[in-house]
Amino acid sequence: MSTASPALDVKNRIKRSKSEKKNLAAGILFAMPVLLGFLIFVIGPMIASAYFSLTDYSIASTPKFVGFGNYKRLFSNEDPFFYKSLGVTTYYVFFSVPAQIIFALIMALLLNKEIKGRPIFRTIFYLPTIVPGVASAAIWIWLMDPDLGLLNQILSMLGLPGSKWIFSETTVIPALVLMSLWTTGGTMIIFLAGLQGIPRQLYEAIEVDGGNGWHKFWYITMPMITPTLFFNLIMGLIGGFQVFTQAYIMTSGGPNNASLFYVYYLYREAFSNFRMGSACAIAWVLFIIIAVLTFIVFKTSNKWVYYEGGGNK
């Protein structure tokens, strides 16, 4: 039971209240640059683009309100490039995301082994990630050149037929999927962090029970890295639907629109055709597609993502 007088309790509460208000003000002040940046550079443009998506706007003219006309034009196939770009991007995402995740996981498993020079190998495999996208694209244009490219020369040395790579309608997307493996260093590092968080005693326990390497991978490694896998899947889907540099630098959406990625199509509408209203509508459709896919993955995650502390409940 408190022996302090009511007057002293009131005085202490007033002191605490002043201190809490002071801390709150300091917190808001320090967070203000981030909050202002978020409002000005994220929320503001989103609201503006939502408005422009309902208008006929070409930068040089005053926006004219057309309701959902831009969306109707997209979904009614009046613009043949909308479904084409959507199909091309879905095709790319369907193959590139699993390929990147599997390749990065294999590399992480190998670089998690106790081998000589391991830090050097990790650095080498991560380096392409920090190479600017334009420089990477220039390198791959040379690598995939049908006549002088290194890849066809290697195939020729092995006695295999060459490919037209990005210069053929049928091989351009598989070629770009292959190229996407070049920048999986960041995904590999995240997998590596997940692998190093697995308790060693779990592997020791399965060894005692007579388990082999496959048992360790399937019954210990895979369940323990499912949160990491989940994160990489989400980021892969988001990044896959936003692929742009390859189409802009390497193919210009060709040949015959075979690599017309969705964001490149958006760019063409905005800065080549100057249909900003249509471009904003395309951007919002992409936002909704990514949001729906992310929601679906999140909703299914409790069936296949394992959290040691039961965080999936």
Side-chain angles (χ1 to χ4, degrees), residues 49-72:
S49 70
Y51 167 69
F52 286 130
S53 74
L54 303 175
T55 65
D56 181 7
Y57 178 44
S58 61
I59 300 180
S61 62
T62 304
K64 181 182 175 185
F65 187 77
V66 294
F68 290 97
N70 289 321
Y71 295 95
K72 184 181 176 184

Side-chain angles (χ1 to χ4, degrees), residues 40-108:
I40 295 171
F41 297 112
V42 179
I43 299 298
M46 285 183 72
I47 294 172
S49 70
Y51 167 69
F52 286 130
S53 74
L54 303 175
T55 65
D56 181 7
Y57 178 44
S58 61
I59 300 180
S61 62
T62 304
K64 181 182 175 185
F65 187 77
V66 294
F68 290 97
N70 289 321
Y71 295 95
K72 184 181 176 184
R73 177 173 165 271
L74 293 176
F75 289 105
S76 63
N77 208 18
E78 287 181 39
D79 183 349
F81 298 116
F82 173 70
Y83 285 112
K84 175 69 177 178
S85 64
L86 202 56
V88 167
T89 308
T90 304
Y91 175 28
Y92 174 81
V93 170
F94 185 79
F95 286 99
S96 68
V97 173
Q100 289 174 21
I101 288 176
I102 292 170
F103 182 76
L105 178 58
I106 292 172
M107 296 307 301

